[in-house]
PDB file of all heavy atoms in Angstrom:
ATOM      1  N   ARG P  10       9.251  12.734   6.609  1.00 93.00           N
ATOM      2  CA  ARG P  10      10.629  12.887   6.245  1.00 93.00           C
ATOM      3  C   ARG P  10      11.454  11.587   6.566  1.00 93.00           C
ATOM      4  O   ARG P  10      11.033  10.802   7.484  1.00 93.00           O
ATOM      5  CB  ARG P  10      11.248  14.153   7.040  1.00 93.00           C
ATOM      6  CG  ARG P  10      11.185  13.963   8.568  1.00 93.00           C
ATOM      7  CD  ARG P  10      11.598  15.237   9.265  1.00 93.00           C
ATOM      8  NE  ARG P  10      12.979  15.502   9.107  1.00 93.00           N
ATOM      9  CZ  ARG P  10      13.507  16.767   9.358  1.00 93.00           C
ATOM     10  NH1 ARG P  10      12.854  17.651   9.841  1.00 93.00           N
ATOM     11  NH2 ARG P  10      14.919  16.878   9.183  1.00 93.00           N
ATOM     12  N   ASP P  11      12.399  11.460   5.796  1.00 92.00           N
ATOM     13  CA  ASP P  11      13.342  10.229   6.018  1.00 92.00           C
ATOM     14  C   ASP P  11      14.702  10.944   6.225  1.00 92.00           C
ATOM     15  O   ASP P  11      15.460  11.235   5.234  1.00 92.00           O
ATOM     16  CB  ASP P  11      13.362   9.358   4.849  1.00 92.00           C
ATOM     17  CG  ASP P  11      14.163   8.017   5.072  1.00 92.00           C
ATOM     18  OD1 ASP P  11      15.074   8.100   5.947  1.00 92.00           O
ATOM     19  OD2 ASP P  11      13.852   7.073   4.350  1.00 92.00           O
ATOM     20  N   ASN P  12      15.198  11.023   7.584  1.00 90.00           N
ATOM     21  CA  ASN P  12      16.445  11.637   7.797  1.00 90.00           C
ATOM     22  C   ASN P  12      17.579  10.792   7.278  1.00 90.00           C
ATOM     23  O   ASN P  12      18.572  11.335   7.001  1.00 90.00           O
ATOM     24  CB  ASN P  12      16.562  11.827   9.315  1.00 90.00           C
ATOM     25  CG  ASN P  12      15.623  12.949   9.810  1.00 90.00           C
ATOM     26  OD1 ASN P  12      15.127  13.858   9.033  1.00 90.00           O
ATOM     27  ND2 ASN P  12      15.429  13.047  11.066  1.00 90.00           N
ATOM     28  N   GLY P  13      17.416   9.534   7.192  1.00 90.00           N
ATOM     29  CA  GLY P  13      18.479   8.639   6.622  1.00 90.00           C
ATOM     30  C   GLY P  13      18.783   8.902   5.178  1.00 90.00           C
ATOM     31  O   GLY P  13      19.815   8.727   4.767  1.00 90.00           O
ATOM     32  N   LYS P  14      17.728   9.426   4.516  1.00 93.00           N
ATOM     33  CA  LYS P  14      17.815   9.716   3.110  1.00 93.00           C
ATOM     34  C   LYS P  14      18.029  11.204   2.827  1.00 93.00           C
ATOM     35  O   LYS P  14      17.937  11.755   1.603  1.00 93.00           O
ATOM     36  CB  LYS P  14      16.694   9.179   2.268  1.00 93.00           C
ATOM     37  CG  LYS P  14      16.766   7.694   2.210  1.00 93.00           C
ATOM     38  CD  LYS P  14      15.526   7.202   1.356  1.00 93.00           C
ATOM     39  CE  LYS P  14      15.554   5.656   1.363  1.00 93.00           C
ATOM     40  NZ  LYS P  14      14.431   5.089   0.518  1.00 93.00           N
ATOM     41  N   ASN P  15      17.906  12.086   3.954  1.00 93.00           N
ATOM     42  CA  ASN P  15      17.948  13.553   3.800  1.00 93.00           C
ATOM     43  C   ASN P  15      16.857  14.067   2.881  1.00 93.00           C
ATOM     44  O   ASN P  15      17.026  14.911   2.044  1.00 93.00           O
ATOM     45  CB  ASN P  15      19.341  14.084   3.369  1.00 93.00           C
ATOM     46  CG  ASN P  15      20.366  13.988   4.479  1.00 93.00           C
ATOM     47  OD1 ASN P  15      20.147  13.720   5.540  1.00 93.00           O
ATOM     48  ND2 ASN P  15      21.423  14.409   4.013  1.00 93.00           N
ATOM     49  N   THR P  16      15.626  13.391   2.996  1.00 95.00           N
ATOM     50  CA  THR P  16      14.627  13.789   2.133  1.00 95.00           C
ATOM     51  C   THR P  16      13.264  14.111   2.899  1.00 95.00           C
ATOM     52  O   THR P  16      12.835  13.470   3.841  1.00 95.00           O
ATOM     53  CB  THR P  16      14.295  12.615   1.127  1.00 95.00           C
ATOM     54  OG1 THR P  16      15.529  12.391   0.334  1.00 95.00           O
ATOM     55  CG2 THR P  16      13.252  13.060   0.109  1.00 95.00           C
ATOM     56  N   LEU P  17      12.577  15.066   2.386  1.00 96.00           N
ATOM     57  CA  LEU P  17      11.258  15.480   2.877  1.00 96.00           C
ATOM     58  C   LEU P  17      10.217  15.262   1.797  1.00 96.00           C
ATOM     59  O   LEU P  17      10.490  15.374   0.622  1.00 96.00           O
ATOM     60  CB  LEU P  17      11.258  16.959   3.185  1.00 96.00           C
ATOM     61  CG  LEU P  17       9.934  17.651   3.692  1.00 96.00           C
ATOM     62  CD1 LEU P  17       9.640  17.189   5.077  1.00 96.00           C
ATOM     63  CD2 LEU P  17      10.019  19.123   3.692  1.00 96.00           C
ATOM     64  N   TYR P  18       9.080  14.753   2.194  1.00 97.00           N
ATOM     65  CA  TYR P  18       7.973  14.384   1.330  1.00 97.00           C
ATOM     66  C   TYR P  18       6.671  15.103   1.527  1.00 97.00           C
ATOM     67  O   TYR P  18       6.505  15.502   2.689  1.00 97.00           O
ATOM     68  CB  TYR P  18       7.714  12.846   1.399  1.00 97.00           C
ATOM     69  CG  TYR P  18       9.024  11.979   1.141  1.00 97.00           C
ATOM     70  CD1 TYR P  18       9.610  11.456   2.192  1.00 97.00           C
ATOM     71  CD2 TYR P  18       9.366  11.767  -0.203  1.00 97.00           C
ATOM     72  CE1 TYR P  18      10.755  10.619   1.990  1.00 97.00           C
ATOM     73  CE2 TYR P  18      10.504  10.896  -0.472  1.00 97.00           C
ATOM     74  CZ  TYR P  18      11.130  10.329   0.668  1.00 97.00           C
ATOM     75  OH  TYR P  18      12.289   9.583   0.405  1.00 97.00           O
ATOM     76  N   LEU P  19       6.018  15.172   0.488  1.00 98.00           N
ATOM     77  CA  LEU P  19       4.599  15.671   0.620  1.00 98.00           C
ATOM     78  C   LEU P  19       3.682  14.894  -0.249  1.00 98.00           C
ATOM     79  O   LEU P  19       3.805  14.965  -1.491  1.00 98.00           O
ATOM     80  CB  LEU P  19       4.530  17.204   0.190  1.00 98.00           C
ATOM     81  CG  LEU P  19       3.067  17.660   0.294  1.00 98.00           C
ATOM     82  CD1 LEU P  19       2.605  17.706   1.708  1.00 98.00           C
ATOM     83  CD2 LEU P  19       3.035  19.129  -0.236  1.00 98.00           C
ATOM     84  N   GLN P  20       2.944  13.971   0.359  1.00 98.00           N
ATOM     85  CA  GLN P  20       1.925  13.222  -0.363  1.00 98.00           C
ATOM     86  C   GLN P  20       0.644  13.988  -0.412  1.00 98.00           C
ATOM     87  O   GLN P  20       0.018  14.376   0.542  1.00 98.00           O
ATOM     88  CB  GLN P  20       1.697  11.905   0.281  1.00 98.00           C
ATOM     89  CG  GLN P  20       0.620  10.999  -0.304  1.00 98.00           C
ATOM     90  CD  GLN P  20       1.094  10.524  -1.656  1.00 98.00           C
ATOM     91  OE1 GLN P  20       2.259   9.994  -1.790  1.00 98.00           O
ATOM     92  NE2 GLN P  20       0.211  10.640  -2.600  1.00 98.00           N
ATOM     93  N   MET P  21       0.233  14.234  -1.777  1.00 98.00           N
ATOM     94  CA  MET P  21      -1.073  14.993  -1.962  1.00 98.00           C
ATOM     95  C   MET P  21      -2.076  14.129  -2.575  1.00 98.00           C
ATOM     96  O   MET P  21      -1.784  13.718  -3.594  1.00 98.00           O
ATOM     97  CB  MET P  21      -0.652  16.289  -2.837  1.00 98.00           C
ATOM     98  CG  MET P  21       0.483  17.144  -2.177  1.00 98.00           C
ATOM     99  SD  MET P  21       0.787  18.656  -3.211  1.00 98.00           S
ATOM    100  CE  MET P  21       1.279  17.766  -4.726  1.00 98.00           C
ATOM    101  N   ASN P  22      -3.204  13.952  -1.908  1.00 98.00           N
ATOM    102  CA  ASN P  22      -4.340  13.223  -2.395  1.00 98.00           C
ATOM    103  C   ASN P  22      -5.525  14.076  -2.638  1.00 98.00           C
ATOM    104  O   ASN P  22      -5.624  15.140  -2.115  1.00 98.00           O
ATOM    105  CB  ASN P  22      -4.630  12.049  -1.497  1.00 98.00           C
ATOM    106  CG  ASN P  22      -3.484  11.082  -1.298  1.00 98.00           C
ATOM    107  OD1 ASN P  22      -2.701  10.898  -2.170  1.00 98.00           O
ATOM    108  ND2 ASN P  22      -3.346  10.535  -0.085  1.00 98.00           N
ATOM    109  N   SER P  23      -6.440  13.668  -3.440  1.00 98.00           N
ATOM    110  CA  SER P  23      -7.597  14.365  -3.720  1.00 98.00           C
ATOM    111  C   SER P  23      -7.284  15.820  -4.079  1.00 98.00           C
ATOM    112  O   SER P  23      -7.948  16.800  -3.656  1.00 98.00           O
ATOM    113  CB  SER P  23      -8.564  14.274  -2.530  1.00 98.00           C
ATOM    114  OG  SER P  23      -8.876  13.004  -2.121  1.00 98.00           O
ATOM    115  N   LEU P  24      -6.462  16.001  -4.999  1.00 98.00           N
ATOM    116  CA  LEU P  24      -6.132  17.319  -5.342  1.00 98.00           C
ATOM    117  C   LEU P  24      -7.253  18.183  -5.973  1.00 98.00           C
ATOM    118  O   LEU P  24      -8.081  17.598  -6.703  1.00 98.00           O
ATOM    119  CB  LEU P  24      -4.862  17.320  -6.350  1.00 98.00           C
ATOM    120  CG  LEU P  24      -3.533  16.983  -5.753  1.00 98.00           C
ATOM    121  CD1 LEU P  24      -2.494  16.513  -6.799  1.00 98.00           C
ATOM    122  CD2 LEU P  24      -2.997  18.274  -4.934  1.00 98.00           C
ATOM    123  N   LYS P  25      -7.153  19.390  -5.736  1.00 98.00           N
ATOM    124  CA  LYS P  25      -8.255  20.271  -6.211  1.00 98.00           C
ATOM    125  C   LYS P  25      -7.546  21.444  -7.025  1.00 98.00           C
ATOM    126  O   LYS P  25      -6.427  21.679  -6.866  1.00 98.00           O
ATOM    127  CB  LYS P  25      -8.953  20.982  -4.958  1.00 98.00           C
ATOM    128  CG  LYS P  25      -9.582  20.054  -4.007  1.00 98.00           C
ATOM    129  CD  LYS P  25     -10.210  20.735  -2.802  1.00 98.00           C
ATOM    130  CE  LYS P  25     -10.784  19.808  -1.864  1.00 98.00           C
ATOM    131  NZ  LYS P  25     -11.368  20.495  -0.772  1.00 98.00           N
ATOM    132  N   PRO P  26      -8.268  22.049  -7.973  1.00 98.00           N
ATOM    133  CA  PRO P  26      -7.729  23.217  -8.665  1.00 98.00           C
ATOM    134  C   PRO P  26      -7.172  24.207  -7.728  1.00 98.00           C
ATOM    135  O   PRO P  26      -6.211  24.895  -8.130  1.00 98.00           O
ATOM    136  CB  PRO P  26      -8.862  23.718  -9.504  1.00 98.00           C
ATOM    137  CG  PRO P  26      -9.813  22.580  -9.688  1.00 98.00           C
ATOM    138  CD  PRO P  26      -9.610  21.650  -8.371  1.00 98.00           C
ATOM    139  N   GLU P  27      -7.824  24.542  -6.688  1.00 97.00           N
ATOM    140  CA  GLU P  27      -7.191  25.511  -5.592  1.00 97.00           C
ATOM    141  C   GLU P  27      -5.839  25.178  -5.078  1.00 97.00           C
ATOM    142  O   GLU P  27      -5.240  26.060  -4.581  1.00 97.00           O
ATOM    143  CB  GLU P  27      -8.157  25.579  -4.478  1.00 97.00           C
ATOM    144  CG  GLU P  27      -9.606  25.860  -4.876  1.00 97.00           C
ATOM    145  CD  GLU P  27     -10.424  24.614  -5.023  1.00 97.00           C
ATOM    146  OE1 GLU P  27     -11.071  24.170  -3.980  1.00 97.00           O
ATOM    147  OE2 GLU P  27     -10.548  23.928  -6.074  1.00 97.00           O
ATOM    148  N   ASP P  28      -5.417  23.859  -5.341  1.00 98.00           N
ATOM    149  CA  ASP P  28      -4.004  23.537  -4.958  1.00 98.00           C
ATOM    150  C   ASP P  28      -2.998  23.879  -5.932  1.00 98.00           C
ATOM    151  O   ASP P  28      -1.782  23.799  -5.678  1.00 98.00           O
ATOM    152  CB  ASP P  28      -4.015  22.001  -4.686  1.00 98.00           C
ATOM    153  CG  ASP P  28      -4.982  21.457  -3.548  1.00 98.00           C
ATOM    154  OD1 ASP P  28      -5.034  22.134  -2.562  1.00 98.00           O
ATOM    155  OD2 ASP P  28      -5.637  20.364  -3.771  1.00 98.00           O
ATOM    156  N   THR P  29      -3.446  24.447  -7.122  1.00 98.00           N
ATOM    157  CA  THR P  29      -2.444  24.796  -8.086  1.00 98.00           C
ATOM    158  C   THR P  29      -1.581  25.994  -7.500  1.00 98.00           C
ATOM    159  O   THR P  29      -2.029  26.976  -7.180  1.00 98.00           O
ATOM    160  CB  THR P  29      -3.061  25.350  -9.371  1.00 98.00           C
ATOM    161  OG1 THR P  29      -3.945  24.218  -9.952  1.00 98.00           O
ATOM    162  CG2 THR P  29      -2.144  25.794 -10.433  1.00 98.00           C
ATOM    163  N   ALA P  30      -0.244  25.654  -7.619  1.00 98.00           N
ATOM    164  CA  ALA P  30       0.847  26.610  -7.066  1.00 98.00           C
ATOM    165  C   ALA P  30       2.096  26.157  -7.300  1.00 98.00           C
ATOM    166  O   ALA P  30       2.307  24.958  -7.664  1.00 98.00           O
ATOM    167  CB  ALA P  30       0.466  26.871  -5.637  1.00 98.00           C
ATOM    168  N   ILE P  31       3.146  26.872  -6.970  1.00 98.00           N
ATOM    169  CA  ILE P  31       4.467  26.464  -6.960  1.00 98.00           C
ATOM    170  C   ILE P  31       4.659  26.109  -5.519  1.00 98.00           C
ATOM    171  O   ILE P  31       4.349  26.888  -4.566  1.00 98.00           O
ATOM    172  CB  ILE P  31       5.543  27.580  -7.407  1.00 98.00           C
ATOM    173  CG1 ILE P  31       5.242  28.056  -8.680  1.00 98.00           C
ATOM    174  CG2 ILE P  31       6.944  27.041  -7.113  1.00 98.00           C
ATOM    175  CD1 ILE P  31       6.240  29.178  -9.188  1.00 98.00           C
ATOM    176  N   TYR P  32       5.223  24.883  -5.254  1.00 98.00           N
ATOM    177  CA  TYR P  32       5.397  24.329  -3.985  1.00 98.00           C
ATOM    178  C   TYR P  32       6.864  24.410  -3.611  1.00 98.00           C
ATOM    179  O   TYR P  32       7.706  23.976  -4.406  1.00 98.00           O
ATOM    180  CB  TYR P  32       4.910  22.857  -3.802  1.00 98.00           C
ATOM    181  CG  TYR P  32       3.298  22.822  -3.790  1.00 98.00           C
ATOM    182  CD1 TYR P  32       2.605  23.109  -4.873  1.00 98.00           C
ATOM    183  CD2 TYR P  32       2.755  22.412  -2.556  1.00 98.00           C
ATOM    184  CE1 TYR P  32       1.197  23.053  -4.777  1.00 98.00           C
ATOM    185  CE2 TYR P  32       1.398  22.331  -2.501  1.00 98.00           C
ATOM    186  CZ  TYR P  32       0.617  22.656  -3.551  1.00 98.00           C
ATOM    187  OH  TYR P  32      -0.867  22.652  -3.525  1.00 98.00           O
ATOM    188  N   TYR P  33       7.107  24.902  -2.428  1.00 98.00           N
ATOM    189  CA  TYR P  33       8.489  25.053  -1.908  1.00 98.00           C
ATOM    190  C   TYR P  33       8.642  24.284  -0.635  1.00 98.00           C
ATOM    191  O   TYR P  33       7.738  24.276   0.216  1.00 98.00           O
ATOM    192  CB  TYR P  33       8.776  26.606  -1.672  1.00 98.00           C
ATOM    193  CG  TYR P  33       8.609  27.470  -2.765  1.00 98.00           C
ATOM    194  CD1 TYR P  33       7.463  28.102  -3.066  1.00 98.00           C
ATOM    195  CD2 TYR P  33       9.695  27.768  -3.570  1.00 98.00           C
ATOM    196  CE1 TYR P  33       7.300  28.984  -4.116  1.00 98.00           C
ATOM    197  CE2 TYR P  33       9.619  28.636  -4.652  1.00 98.00           C
ATOM    198  CZ  TYR P  33       8.426  29.294  -4.887  1.00 98.00           C
ATOM    199  OH  TYR P  33       8.315  30.127  -5.910  1.00 98.00           O
ATOM    200  N   CYS P  34       9.821  23.657  -0.543  1.00 97.00           N
ATOM    201  CA  CYS P  34      10.167  23.152   0.783  1.00 97.00           C
ATOM    202  C   CYS P  34      11.061  24.086   1.436  1.00 97.00           C
ATOM    203  O   CYS P  34      11.791  24.903   0.846  1.00 97.00           O
ATOM    204  CB  CYS P  34      10.862  21.715   0.650  1.00 97.00           C
ATOM    205  SG  CYS P  34      12.402  21.717  -0.269  1.00 97.00           S
ATOM    206  N   ALA P  35      11.119  24.057   2.752  1.00 96.00           N
ATOM    207  CA  ALA P  35      11.871  25.048   3.595  1.00 96.00           C
ATOM    208  C   ALA P  35      12.375  24.336   4.805  1.00 96.00           C
ATOM    209  O   ALA P  35      11.772  23.323   5.288  1.00 96.00           O
ATOM    210  CB  ALA P  35      11.003  26.193   3.978  1.00 96.00           C
ATOM    211  N   ALA P  36      13.494  24.903   5.340  1.00 95.00           N
ATOM    212  CA  ALA P  36      14.052  24.312   6.594  1.00 95.00           C
ATOM    213  C   ALA P  36      14.538  25.481   7.482  1.00 95.00           C
ATOM    214  O   ALA P  36      15.025  26.413   7.051  1.00 95.00           O
ATOM    215  CB  ALA P  36      15.211  23.416   6.070  1.00 95.00           C
ATOM    216  N   ASN P  37      14.454  25.113   8.808  1.00 92.00           N
ATOM    217  CA  ASN P  37      15.112  26.033   9.745  1.00 92.00           C
ATOM    218  C   ASN P  37      15.743  25.147  10.866  1.00 92.00           C
ATOM    219  O   ASN P  37      15.348  24.069  11.183  1.00 92.00           O
ATOM    220  CB  ASN P  37      13.875  26.817  10.529  1.00 92.00           C
ATOM    221  CG  ASN P  37      13.912  28.243  10.181  1.00 92.00           C
ATOM    222  OD1 ASN P  37      14.804  28.798   9.444  1.00 92.00           O
ATOM    223  ND2 ASN P  37      12.964  28.926  10.697  1.00 92.00           N
ATOM    224  N   TYR P  38      16.858  25.668  11.285  1.00 91.00           N
ATOM    225  CA  TYR P  38      17.680  24.980  12.316  1.00 91.00           C
ATOM    226  C   TYR P  38      16.976  24.716  13.576  1.00 91.00           C
ATOM    227  O   TYR P  38      16.388  25.794  14.088  1.00 91.00           O
ATOM    228  CB  TYR P  38      19.030  25.721  12.443  1.00 91.00           C
ATOM    229  CG  TYR P  38      19.927  24.970  13.409  1.00 91.00           C
ATOM    230  CD1 TYR P  38      20.659  23.832  12.955  1.00 91.00           C
ATOM    231  CD2 TYR P  38      20.032  25.338  14.743  1.00 91.00           C
ATOM    232  CE1 TYR P  38      21.582  23.172  13.775  1.00 91.00           C
ATOM    233  CE2 TYR P  38      20.929  24.700  15.698  1.00 91.00           C
ATOM    234  CZ  TYR P  38      21.688  23.600  15.079  1.00 91.00           C
ATOM    235  OH  TYR P  38      22.488  22.895  15.950  1.00 91.00           O
ATOM    236  N   GLY P  39      16.921  23.634  14.159  1.00 88.00           N
ATOM    237  CA  GLY P  39      16.450  23.316  15.455  1.00 88.00           C
ATOM    238  C   GLY P  39      14.859  23.285  15.528  1.00 88.00           C
ATOM    239  O   GLY P  39      14.166  23.293  14.543  1.00 88.00           O
ATOM    240  N   TYR P  40      14.348  23.032  16.647  1.00 83.00           N
ATOM    241  CA  TYR P  40      12.986  22.981  17.014  1.00 83.00           C
ATOM    242  C   TYR P  40      12.443  24.444  16.778  1.00 83.00           C
ATOM    243  O   TYR P  40      13.010  25.493  17.105  1.00 83.00           O
ATOM    244  CB  TYR P  40      12.710  22.556  18.298  1.00 83.00           C
ATOM    245  CG  TYR P  40      12.907  20.994  18.462  1.00 83.00           C
ATOM    246  CD1 TYR P  40      14.056  20.468  19.102  1.00 83.00           C
ATOM    247  CD2 TYR P  40      11.964  20.159  17.973  1.00 83.00           C
ATOM    248  CE1 TYR P  40      14.170  19.167  19.143  1.00 83.00           C
ATOM    249  CE2 TYR P  40      12.091  18.776  18.125  1.00 83.00           C
ATOM    250  CZ  TYR P  40      13.272  18.188  18.654  1.00 83.00           C
ATOM    251  OH  TYR P  40      13.466  16.915  18.790  1.00 83.00           O
ATOM    252  N   ARG P  41      11.160  24.452  16.440  1.00 83.00           N
ATOM    253  CA  ARG P  41      10.424  25.840  16.292  1.00 83.00           C
ATOM    254  C   ARG P  41       9.020  25.669  16.852  1.00 83.00           C
ATOM    255  O   ARG P  41       8.485  24.502  16.759  1.00 83.00           O
ATOM    256  CB  ARG P  41      10.345  26.293  14.823  1.00 83.00           C
ATOM    257  CG  ARG P  41      11.683  26.634  14.365  1.00 83.00           C
ATOM    258  CD  ARG P  41      12.250  27.986  14.869  1.00 83.00           C
ATOM    259  NE  ARG P  41      13.497  28.387  14.316  1.00 83.00           N
ATOM    260  CZ  ARG P  41      14.662  28.117  14.645  1.00 83.00           C
ATOM    261  NH1 ARG P  41      14.825  27.322  15.687  1.00 83.00           N
ATOM    262  NH2 ARG P  41      15.712  28.513  14.065  1.00 83.00           N
ATOM    263  N   LEU P  42       8.507  26.616  17.310  1.00 84.00           N
ATOM    264  CA  LEU P  42       6.952  26.594  17.767  1.00 84.00           C
ATOM    265  C   LEU P  42       6.153  26.517  16.466  1.00 84.00           C
ATOM    266  O   LEU P  42       6.470  26.932  15.447  1.00 84.00           O
ATOM    267  CB  LEU P  42       6.604  27.929  18.559  1.00 84.00           C
ATOM    268  CG  LEU P  42       7.383  28.079  19.864  1.00 84.00           C
ATOM    269  CD1 LEU P  42       7.107  29.481  20.332  1.00 84.00           C
ATOM    270  CD2 LEU P  42       7.183  27.071  20.815  1.00 84.00           C
ATOM    271  N   SER P  43       4.900  25.984  16.737  1.00 85.00           N
ATOM    272  CA  SER P  43       3.892  25.706  15.699  1.00 85.00           C
ATOM    273  C   SER P  43       3.712  26.992  14.951  1.00 85.00           C
ATOM    274  O   SER P  43       3.598  27.041  13.633  1.00 85.00           O
ATOM    275  CB  SER P  43       2.753  25.098  16.121  1.00 85.00           C
ATOM    276  OG  SER P  43       2.064  25.991  17.099  1.00 85.00           O
ATOM    277  N   ALA P  44       3.561  28.125  15.472  1.00 89.00           N
ATOM    278  CA  ALA P  44       3.304  29.356  14.938  1.00 89.00           C
ATOM    279  C   ALA P  44       4.406  29.838  14.011  1.00 89.00           C
ATOM    280  O   ALA P  44       4.306  30.458  12.928  1.00 89.00           O
ATOM    281  CB  ALA P  44       3.075  30.459  15.940  1.00 89.00           C
ATOM    282  N   GLU P  45       5.645  29.535  14.386  1.00 90.00           N
ATOM    283  CA  GLU P  45       6.828  29.834  13.569  1.00 90.00           C
ATOM    284  C   GLU P  45       6.955  28.872  12.400  1.00 90.00           C
ATOM    285  O   GLU P  45       7.242  29.410  11.275  1.00 90.00           O
ATOM    286  CB  GLU P  45       8.090  29.670  14.420  1.00 90.00           C
ATOM    287  CG  GLU P  45       8.351  30.699  15.494  1.00 90.00           C
ATOM    288  CD  GLU P  45       9.546  30.395  16.327  1.00 90.00           C
ATOM    289  OE1 GLU P  45       9.681  29.253  16.858  1.00 90.00           O
ATOM    290  OE2 GLU P  45      10.386  31.290  16.341  1.00 90.00           O
ATOM    291  N   LEU P  46       6.459  27.692  12.540  1.00 91.00           N
ATOM    292  CA  LEU P  46       6.517  26.793  11.372  1.00 91.00           C
ATOM    293  C   LEU P  46       5.459  27.194  10.270  1.00 91.00           C
ATOM    294  O   LEU P  46       5.540  26.704   9.160  1.00 91.00           O
ATOM    295  CB  LEU P  46       6.330  25.404  11.830  1.00 91.00           C
ATOM    296  CG  LEU P  46       7.477  24.849  12.681  1.00 91.00           C
ATOM    297  CD1 LEU P  46       7.086  23.487  13.263  1.00 91.00           C
ATOM    298  CD2 LEU P  46       8.651  24.733  11.950  1.00 91.00           C
ATOM    299  N   ARG P  47       4.477  27.931  10.742  1.00 92.00           N
ATOM    300  CA  ARG P  47       3.349  28.322   9.783  1.00 92.00           C
ATOM    301  C   ARG P  47       3.729  29.738   9.085  1.00 92.00           C
ATOM    302  O   ARG P  47       2.936  30.106   8.147  1.00 92.00           O
ATOM    303  CB  ARG P  47       2.036  28.484  10.526  1.00 92.00           C
ATOM    304  CG  ARG P  47       1.486  27.223  11.117  1.00 92.00           C
ATOM    305  CD  ARG P  47       0.297  27.419  11.929  1.00 92.00           C
ATOM    306  NE  ARG P  47      -0.188  26.170  12.424  1.00 92.00           N
ATOM    307  CZ  ARG P  47      -1.114  25.432  11.808  1.00 92.00           C
ATOM    308  NH1 ARG P  47      -1.764  25.811  10.642  1.00 92.00           N
ATOM    309  NH2 ARG P  47      -1.581  24.333  12.300  1.00 92.00           N
ATOM    310  N   ASP P  48       4.780  30.298   9.417  1.00 93.00           N
ATOM    311  CA  ASP P  48       5.209  31.592   8.842  1.00 93.00           C
ATOM    312  C   ASP P  48       6.378  31.423   8.026  1.00 93.00           C
ATOM    313  O   ASP P  48       7.522  31.190   8.463  1.00 93.00           O
ATOM    314  CB  ASP P  48       5.402  32.534  10.116  1.00 93.00           C
ATOM    315  CG  ASP P  48       5.735  33.919   9.626  1.00 93.00           C
ATOM    316  OD1 ASP P  48       5.780  34.216   8.447  1.00 93.00           O
ATOM    317  OD2 ASP P  48       5.994  34.794  10.487  1.00 93.00           O
TER     318      ASP P  48
END
């Protein structure tokens, strides 16, 4: 992420057919536990 540009990035290499999907970015206010960030 580049907070100066208000932008989040996802660099995807070695893509596989199993990666086919709609990709969504998401945000939550403040810090979160790792378990919360996976949900």
Side-chain angles (χ1 to χ4, degrees):
R10 62 188 291 169
D11 186 337
N12 288 343
K14 296 182 178 180
N15 282 1
T16 303
L17 177 71
Y18 301 99
L19 179 62
Q20 178 66 46
M21 304 184 294
N22 298 327
S23 301
L24 283 162
K25 304 176 181 179
E27 307 93 89
D28 297 318
T29 295
I31 300 174
Y32 283 71
Y33 300 89
C34 62
N37 251 358
Y38 183 79
Y40 286 101
R41 294 289 186 270
L42 298 174
S43 61
E45 294 177 302
L46 295 175
R47 294 174 180 270
D48 184 0

